[in-house]
Amino acid sequence: MNVNQSAPPVPPFGQPQPVYPGYHQSSYGGQPGSTAAPTPYGAYNGPVPGYQQTPPPGVSRAPASSGAPPTSTAQGPCGQTAYGQFGQGDVQNGPSSGVQMQRLPGSQPFASAPLAPVVSQPAVLQPYGPPPTSAQVTAQLAGMQISGAVAPAPPPSGLGYGPPTSLASASGSFPNSGLYGSYPQGQAPPLGQGHPGAQPPPRSVPPQASSFTPSVSGGPRMPPMTGPLLPGQSFGGPPVSQPNHVSSPPPQTLPPGTQMTGPPGPPPPMHSAQQPGYQLQQNGSFGPARGPQSNYGSPYPGAATFGSQPGPPQPLPPKRLDPDAIPSPIQVIEDDRNNRGSEPFVTGLRGQVPPLVTTNFLVKDQGNASPRYIRCTSYNIPCTSDMAKQAQVPLAAVIKPLARLPPEEASPYVVDHGESGPLRCNRCKAYMCPFMQFVEGGRRFQCCFCSCINDVPPQYFQHLDHTGKRVDAYDRPELSLGSYEFLATVDYCKNNKFPVPPAFIFMIDVSYNAVRSGLVRLLCEELKSLLDFLPREGGAEESAIRVGFVTYNKVLHFYNVKSSLAQPQMMVVSDVGDMFVPLLDGFLVNVNESRAVITSLLDQIPEMFADTRETETVFAPVIQAGMEALKAAECAGKLFLFHTSLPIAEAPGKLKNRDDRKLINTDKEKTLFQPQSGAYQTLAKECVAQGCCVDLFLFPNQYVDVATLSVVPQLTGGSVYKYACFQVENDQERFLSDLRRDVQKVVGFDAVMRVRTSTGIRAVDFFGAFYMSNTTDVELAGLDGDKTVTVEFKHDDRLNEENGALLQCALLYTSCAGQRRLRIHNLALNCCTQLADLYRNCETDTLINYMAKFAYRGVLSSPVKTVRDTLITQCAQILACYRKNCASPSSAGQLILPECMKLLPVYLNCVLKSEVLQPGAEVTTDDRAYVRQLVTSMDVAETNVFFYPRLLPLTKSPIENTTEPPAVRASEERLSNGDIYLLENGLNLFLWVGASVQQGVVQSLFGVSSFSQITSGLSVLPVLDNLLSKKVRSLIDSLRAQRSRYMKLIVVKQEDKLEMLFKHFLVEDKSLSGGASYVDFLCHMHKEIRQLLS
């Protein structure tokens, strides 16, 4: 769905639900009716209460005012009242026989817009509370006056829109709640979907909403509406139902203020799922289509029982909300790909919302940084802090300064200004960028961040053209592009000396566990060839990076691999309490010069320690030794640590086993995420000062206290990789693939990043893998192309719409070749005075990335329950503010979501159900700490697939079709036991095989003749020479290539014990650890929103 999509035409009427004469109405025509005490929902995630559907006593029906002839009630098989010729679950789509309404001038025909079927269940959802009382049903809302609603505007001509998405009532107040057997089904609240192919709207159009009405009984009530009539509501009869929601052929609407004369006819019935002139939604976004239905008799078969008494009531089985009637992530992703994947994203315009991270698109830099470098939670910032507080939408940017670009896009240009260095503002120190304004014929420039007027140095002077732009603007990257690099002068270097190229030190655990598992031999064998692939600059023939080697258990062994030696020399440091480096010359060497000695060393290490019985290890002294070696060599660099067990040997940083599952769900749970001692923070601080980045590869067989061991990698900008119960035959491919990628990736060393903003906002909070010694500078010993820094902004003054808001991210770093550089990214955002503009320009994926990081940091200092509640409350406040200030007036029973935030509930539920915030019984403390630090520096694309995994059916598309199959929703309901599915979340990869898969498919893919012969837990597919095998293996390879870590394959058979692990990733379903299903969470969210609104 296009996030910039225009709003649907809203008719001039308010949107009350249709009400029939003879039924009580709480605030009809401005007269207050009876109100009832709210029935609370049942416990969230609690047991399912019993439910009987019987009509409340004493409610009888008045004759219908529509003049429809009374007909006898048709009885169903169990004595149920049937709806004309349709069962409870069917929807009628006959033409309206009531008053013809006139179309709004300028509105477009709806024939092209896909319309979804309505929710066809009784308005009750099992998991919540008792059935509504008669008083509650009576206290039905005619409509809801919403303050500050944005004035609706017709869409730009040429666009046809369907109505906003809406979903059945959560209030139990809709007539089709199943309490009256003979009530016409045509009154179910509507559900439509905005037309996906829309163009970006003019700014005056209100944001498009998706409204749903989840059917749930009970819940707090909105106060009855008193006061003026809604437009289109007349005194003499019921309010006219909203035309673009409910008529079958597009009806006409009356101009605002026109009153209906005479009794209106029966309400126009709902659309059925399939109807001439309406295309079906693809991809299961709104459910399986019903077949064509027969013609209806006149005037309105479903209304036939209006004048007669209902037959004896029969309990109907309670039905849950149709999952197809709620927003589908798959549909939104698919729509965005179709609408925005074909055109390049040109960054020239301020405040454009980019395509989703799931869409493949090209970027053309024309003055703003590519979304690959910076993504924002909103591209239109509120002008005032009051407005920002009201909306509660966090204003944040996820910045990936060294992001890798696809081959079709050029890397940032490097600008060399010689000894004078890059041009900057004298006051705020911002770097020259396309938004700076040249004045006085080009002799001076006004800073776009702080408005200071600066002199232009003579060597940089250039004349201006008739528009006030420099004539050389397009020849200079810093005047025409959003991202570029400057070569830094010596003033930007440590101790005013240019840096030397960095070094890599490989530090290998040679304790009993590491040797016995085969890790040491495997690693030494791999390093022989891997050292040829160290990162290099541009077209350099060989890498400038030097390497060193250390092995350790309770003591450390340093190796002299100087090229002049015939054999490597080993030096042992056993005083781990006072660590020093026993040699300087010969420890860090050039690979090509010392190749023979290095190869000899790597051959000898596995043999030297083959018979070791030493099980204890140290950890902090190893990092200390690596840092001291870099300090002695006066260079930055990276330590690659390969470690297997909890460091319990007597040494600084010694740890004890403190794993305690009894702390889960207590106030002390936060201690599980905190480091055991402050020693590691102190060590990390020293590492950052030296430019020493640490990458940690863990191979634990039991608890190793990841929360503590990951502190140094986390604070130095490094990475942690974890291979539990490592076995060479099962895990070598994953480990070696991660190691190769980690060693080869381009890294910026000894980096400092600062984010500057224009007057009115400032950076106040930072999330990611880095260290901060003050409030503005993000210090990174190392920064690679996978790491992000998330920055939150707050207002410190008023912004204005005309100027917008500017961000400039400047990263000072040392390249792999030892060159000091500045990378600059600029981004201009719009500012707004209307909340509608804020909600129309948000990016849900970035919002979820920020909220997950905020929550994952929160567990360090607050109980997990508090963190979860904070997330739910913030989400409810965001959506309630939209409902109150931007949505068209409608029944309180409807859940209305902004178009570009309609996936916020499903994604937020996935964050709430994640291992960190709601662990299952099988999740270890180390797993939680590992995931917590991993997510902290993930980019938006990684969090998107991590929290909502991709589920791909492999046997639905033709074998010849080699493109990636369209995904399906992550729910068990979507699995067919005759198919095979791939599921991936960036870290895991499952191949699920249904029990009824065709024998030929099993043979083609696994090389065995039946389902029972497939090995469960298989991690490699056999290489077979047939189309299906090639297609699946190539798909797996392409999925792995898209991710920053190697995903190990696990084959899962239906009904097998491994299936429980697989089902954990079906995030739309209820989880074993108590996490809500998507449907239940949406209803819970609706309850929260209604409480806020009332």
Side-chain angles (χ1 to χ4, degrees):
M1 180 68 62
N2 187 332
V3 281
N4 276 343
Q5 185 172 309
S6 162
V10 179
F13 312 96
Q15 300 174 325
Q17 292 304 315
V19 179
Y20 294 86
Y23 290 88
H24 296 289
Q25 177 74 8
S26 67
S27 55
Y28 184 47
Q31 304 301 316
S34 62
T35 54
T39 305
Y41 279 62
Y44 178 39
N45 291 340
V48 181
Y51 184 76
Q52 297 87 32
Q53 285 185 306
T54 53
V59 179
S60 64
R61 292 167 185 272
S65 63
S66 65
T71 25
S72 62
T73 305
Q75 293 293 321
C78 313
Q80 282 160 231
T81 313
Y83 297 172
Q85 67 266 50
F86 299 96
Q88 172 84 8
D90 283 317
V91 182
Q92 305 184 10
N93 66 348
S96 161
S97 61
V99 178
Q100 282 300 101
M101 304 176 197
Q102 290 174 5
R103 173 174 298 291
L104 268 171
S107 64
Q108 300 299 314
F110 294 145
S112 65
L115 281 163
V118 299
V119 179
S120 52
Q121 292 79 14
V124 57
L125 192 81
Q126 297 145 266
Y128 296 103
T133 61
S134 63
Q136 277 175 281
V137 176
T138 313
Q140 208 175 297
L141 297 175
M144 176 176 149
Q145 194 72 48
I146 298 183
S147 63
V150 176
S157 63
L159 298 179
Y161 294 102
T165 329
S166 64
L167 184 87
S169 161
S171 64
S173 66
F174 281 103
N176 71 331
S177 60
L179 293 166
Y180 303 108
S182 59
Y183 223 75
Q185 184 68 14
Q187 268 170 255
L191 179 86
Q193 174 75 0
H195 180 50
Q199 304 298 316
R203 291 190 46 166
S204 62
V205 183
Q208 180 160 339
S210 301
S211 68
F212 318 104
T213 336
S215 320
V216 182
S217 60
R221 300 260 153 253
M222 303 301 302
M225 180 184 77
T226 54
L229 283 175
L230 294 173
Q233 209 172 327
S234 66
F235 286 101
V240 182
S241 54
Q242 186 190 339
N244 71 336
H245 272 193
V246 270
S247 75
S248 170
Q252 282 102 20
T253 61
L254 289 166
T258 311
Q259 295 211 342
M260 305 288 290
T261 51
M270 305 301 302
H271 302 299
S272 86
Q274 186 166 350
Q275 209 185 76
Y278 294 98
Q279 71 196 60
L280 279 168
Q281 290 250 1
Q282 294 304 306
N283 255 332
S285 167
F286 294 103
R290 294 194 180 81
Q293 297 172 352
S294 55
N295 296 323
Y296 309 108
S298 67
Y300 183 46
T305 55
F306 251 44
S308 61
Q309 287 294 89
Q314 294 293 332
L316 292 169
K319 290 189 184 177
R320 58 195 282 271
L321 186 62
D322 181 6
D324 286 318
I326 54 183
S328 156
I330 302 305
Q331 186 68 46
V332 171
I333 289 168
E334 201 61 34
D335 290 342
D336 192 76
R337 281 181 181 159
N338 295 338
N339 297 336
R340 307 197 65 185
S342 51
E343 293 294 310
F345 178 68
V346 181
T347 70
L349 280 177
R350 181 175 86 187
Q352 284 183 103
V353 182
L356 298 182
V357 283
T358 42
T359 299
N360 278 330
F361 60 98
L362 276 181
V363 179
K364 286 191 175 166
D365 185 342
Q366 289 191 1
N368 282 294
S370 160
R372 303 192 205 286
Y373 294 123
I374 305 181
R375 274 185 180 267
C376 295
T377 52
S378 178
Y379 288 80
N380 207 330
I381 298 183
C383 282
T384 64
S385 58
D386 291 346
M387 192 172 152
K389 281 193 192 97
Q390 189 183 354
Q392 287 285 319
V393 176
L395 304 174
V398 179
I399 306 174
K400 198 175 179 185
L402 298 179
R404 288 186 311 282
L405 301 179
E408 310 85 77
E409 292 175 26
S411 295
Y413 287 98
V414 181
V415 179
D416 185 0
H417 281 315
E419 288 183 11
S420 62
L423 188 55
R424 304 175 72 175
C425 169
N426 291 329
R427 184 196 286 161
C428 70
K429 301 297 181 207
Y431 293 87
M432 179 53 70
C433 71
F435 312 123
M436 298 287 192
Q437 194 71 43
F438 287 88
V439 293
E440 296 179 26
R443 287 189 295 280
R444 306 178 87 187
F445 71 91
Q446 181 172 18
C447 175
C448 51
F449 293 93
C450 69
S451 303
C452 175
I453 304 281
N454 299 271
D455 290 330
V456 173
Q459 73 274 17
Y460 198 77
F461 173 77
Q462 185 54 269
H463 294 287
L464 308 184
D465 65 13
H466 65 285
T467 64
K469 274 191 102 158
R470 283 172 55 120
V471 295
D472 66 346
Y474 292 104
D475 302 329
R476 290 188 174 273
E478 74 272 23
L479 298 182
S480 56
L481 298 177
S483 301
Y484 43 87
E485 291 200 323
F486 290 121
L487 282 187
T489 58
V490 74
D491 307 335
Y492 292 87
C493 303
K494 244 186 210 166
N495 309 325
N496 280 13
K497 279 192 341 201
F498 279 113
V500 293
F504 284 177
I505 303 177
F506 296 90
M507 316 188 87
I508 306 166
D509 175 349
V510 287
S511 64
Y512 176 72
N513 279 345
V515 174
R516 190 196 58 180
S517 68
L519 169 65
V520 174
R521 189 173 296 280
L522 177 71
L523 176 57
C524 290
E525 207 50 50
E526 176 63 26
L527 284 177
K528 289 182 203 170
S529 56
L530 187 54
L531 294 176
D532 288 332
F533 298 97
L534 298 177
R536 62 192 74 180
E537 282 294 297
E541 282 189 17
E542 62 174 56
S543 174
I545 291 172
R546 292 167 296 159
V547 298
F549 301 88
V550 173
T551 55
Y552 67 94
N553 37 46
K554 272 197 333 194
V555 297
L556 276 76
H557 322 109
F558 293 79
Y559 297 93
N560 184 344
V561 283
K562 201 173 177 181
S563 56
S564 55
L565 296 173
Q567 283 293 320
Q569 293 173 348
M570 174 183 186
M571 297 183 186
V572 179
V573 177
S574 51
D575 182 6
V576 289
D578 182 18
M579 185 45 62
F580 68 98
V581 181
L583 76 160
L584 290 180
D585 190 31
F587 179 63
L588 295 178
V589 297
N590 176 293
V591 173
N592 284 344
E593 290 171 10
S594 298
R595 181 170 301 279
V597 194
I598 291 173
T599 304
S600 170
L601 171 67
L602 293 172
D603 284 337
Q604 288 175 37
I605 288 174
E607 306 308 328
M608 266 192 292
F609 299 101
D611 301 323
T612 186
R613 286 285 170 266
E614 185 55 76
T615 55
E616 292 187 357
T617 57
V618 294
F619 187 75
V622 184
I623 296 174
Q624 180 87 35
M627 184 195 65
E628 296 290 350
L630 293 176
K631 191 185 272 184
E634 295 186 347
C635 70
K638 187 184 265 199
L639 312 182
F640 295 84
L641 237 84
F642 304 89
H643 190 79
T644 59
S645 56
L646 191 70
I648 54 171
E650 279 305 325
K654 173 186 174 181
L655 301 178
K656 62 179 190 291
N657 187 335
R658 53 163 188 167
D659 189 15
D660 187 0
R661 289 192 65 84
K662 291 199 286 292
L663 297 182
I664 292 176
N665 293 327
T666 69
D667 284 353
K668 288 190 177 171
E669 184 173 5
K670 58 184 179 231
T671 59
L672 298 176
F673 296 109
Q674 297 165 351
Q676 272 189 49
S677 78
Y680 285 94
Q681 267 111 328
T682 311
L683 180 58
K685 189 176 167 183
E686 292 171 23
C687 286
V688 172
Q690 184 46 50
C692 168
C693 174
V694 179
D695 278 358
L696 176 60
F697 292 79
L698 284 172
F699 305 87
N701 290 333
Q702 53 198 31
Y703 177 75
V704 289
D705 199 351
V706 173
T708 305
L709 298 190
S710 65
V711 165
V712 180
Q714 179 79 6
L715 291 176
T716 59
S719 306
V720 180
Y721 299 85
K722 181 166 159 284
Y723 309 89
C725 304
F726 179 81
Q727 294 174 305
V728 169
E729 56 278 11
N730 290 339
D731 300 296
Q732 89 173 49
E733 192 178 357
R734 180 174 156 228
F735 162 55
L736 294 181
S737 176
D738 285 343
L739 176 63
R740 286 167 194 152
R741 200 168 179 283
D742 197 59
V743 168
Q744 293 173 40
K745 64 187 170 190
V746 174
V747 182
F749 293 96
D750 215 354
V752 182
M753 182 180 119
R754 183 175 280 195
V755 178
R756 293 179 174 84
T757 53
S758 54
T759 312
I761 52 167
R762 62 193 170 90
V764 291
D765 208 352
F766 300 83
F767 304 82
F770 52 75
Y771 175 75
M772 290 185 82
S773 56
N774 58 36
T775 56
T776 55
D777 293 342
V778 174
E779 298 173 47
L780 302 123
L783 176 68
D784 61 55
D786 298 325
K787 297 280 189 307
T788 65
V789 176
T790 301
V791 187
E792 187 183 4
F793 303 98
K794 289 261 165 75
H795 287 75
D796 57 6
D797 203 350
R798 193 183 171 86
L799 296 163
N800 79 41
E801 283 187 281
E802 196 182 324
N803 296 344
L806 302 175
L807 317 178
Q808 184 179 79
C809 161
L811 177 79
L812 175 66
Y813 71 99
T814 301
S815 74
C816 294
Q819 201 174 44
R820 202 70 174 148
R821 290 183 179 181
L822 280 153
R823 179 168 288 201
I824 313 294
H825 299 297
N826 304 289
L827 186 63
L829 303 173
N830 285 328
C831 296
C832 58
T833 53
Q834 297 294 323
L835 283 166
D837 289 324
L838 165 68
Y839 282 102
R840 197 185 298 111
N841 291 280
C842 286
E843 234 240 339
T844 300
D845 294 322
T846 311
L847 204 53
I848 288 293
N849 180 285
Y850 166 83
M851 290 171 101
K853 289 172 181 177
F854 181 80
Y856 281 18
R857 187 177 67 182
V859 297
L860 292 173
S861 53
S862 306
V864 171
K865 184 183 184 310
T866 309
V867 173
R868 291 166 49 81
D869 291 346
T870 304
L871 279 184
I872 292 174
T873 305
Q874 183 170 16
C875 180
Q877 283 173 328
I878 291 171
L879 299 176
C881 173
Y882 173 80
R883 170 70 186 249
K884 183 178 173 189
N885 298 292
C886 307
S888 313
S890 61
S891 153
Q894 282 189 313
L895 170 60
I896 298 184
L897 303 174
E899 183 54 36
C900 64
M901 277 192 196
K902 65 184 182 186
L903 298 182
L904 189 61
V906 62
Y907 286 161
L908 184 73
N909 190 34
C910 297
V911 174
L912 294 171
K913 283 161 50 165
S914 63
E915 293 162 343
V916 174
L917 298 182
Q918 195 159 34
E922 73 296 336
V923 178
T924 67
T925 307
D926 275 348
D927 287 336
R928 296 177 75 196
Y930 174 64
V931 168
R932 194 196 75 78
Q933 61 81 33
L934 207 56
V935 168
T936 307
S937 48
M938 275 186 183
D939 72 6
V940 180
E942 287 172 321
T943 50
N944 173 275
V945 77
F946 178 74
F947 289 117
Y948 192 94
R950 271 203 297 179
L951 184 61
L952 306 171
L954 300 183
T955 43
K956 292 238 168 85
S957 56
I959 291 188
E960 307 74 51
N961 186 353
T962 52
T963 56
E964 195 177 285
V968 295
R969 292 169 69 163
S971 166
E972 195 175 349
E973 289 181 3
R974 311 287 160 172
L975 299 177
S976 149
N977 60 5
D979 286 322
I980 295 180
Y981 297 81
L982 258 182
L983 181 142
E984 64 115 358
N985 75 338
L987 297 179
N988 309 87
L989 187 61
F990 294 95
L991 185 72
W992 184 87
V993 186
S996 313
V997 169
Q998 290 174 356
Q999 194 177 338
V1001 171
V1002 172
Q1003 184 71 51
S1004 300
L1005 210 48
F1006 301 99
V1008 295
S1009 55
S1010 71
F1011 174 79
S1012 58
Q1013 292 174 297
I1014 300 170
T1015 312
S1016 181
L1018 194 71
S1019 59
V1020 181
L1021 290 180
V1023 178
L1024 302 173
D1025 189 16
N1026 64 65
L1027 278 175
L1028 182 63
S1029 175
K1030 287 176 184 169
K1031 174 181 169 176
V1032 173
R1033 283 181 291 112
S1034 122
L1035 176 61
I1036 289 171
D1037 290 342
S1038 88
L1039 292 178
R1040 283 173 173 160
Q1042 292 168 30
R1043 306 292 169 216
S1044 60
R1045 294 177 181 232
Y1046 183 90
M1047 297 184 291
K1048 177 182 167 185
L1049 180 71
I1050 299 176
V1051 173
V1052 177
K1053 292 164 70 178
Q1054 188 175 1
E1055 305 295 333
D1056 187 79
K1057 60 181 188 297
L1058 272 175
E1059 200 181 26
M1060 296 313 290
L1061 177 63
F1062 171 76
K1063 284 180 180 174
H1064 167 74
F1065 297 97
L1066 300 176
V1067 288
E1068 287 199 21
D1069 300 334
K1070 191 168 169 132
S1071 68
L1072 287 173
S1073 54
S1077 69
Y1078 175 19
V1079 168
D1080 290 351
F1081 183 70
L1082 198 60
C1083 296
H1084 179 71
M1085 207 72 232
H1086 190 197
K1087 182 187 102 175
E1088 295 279 332
I1089 292 167
R1090 293 179 62 186
Q1091 276 177 343
L1092 287 172
L1093 290 174
S1094 58

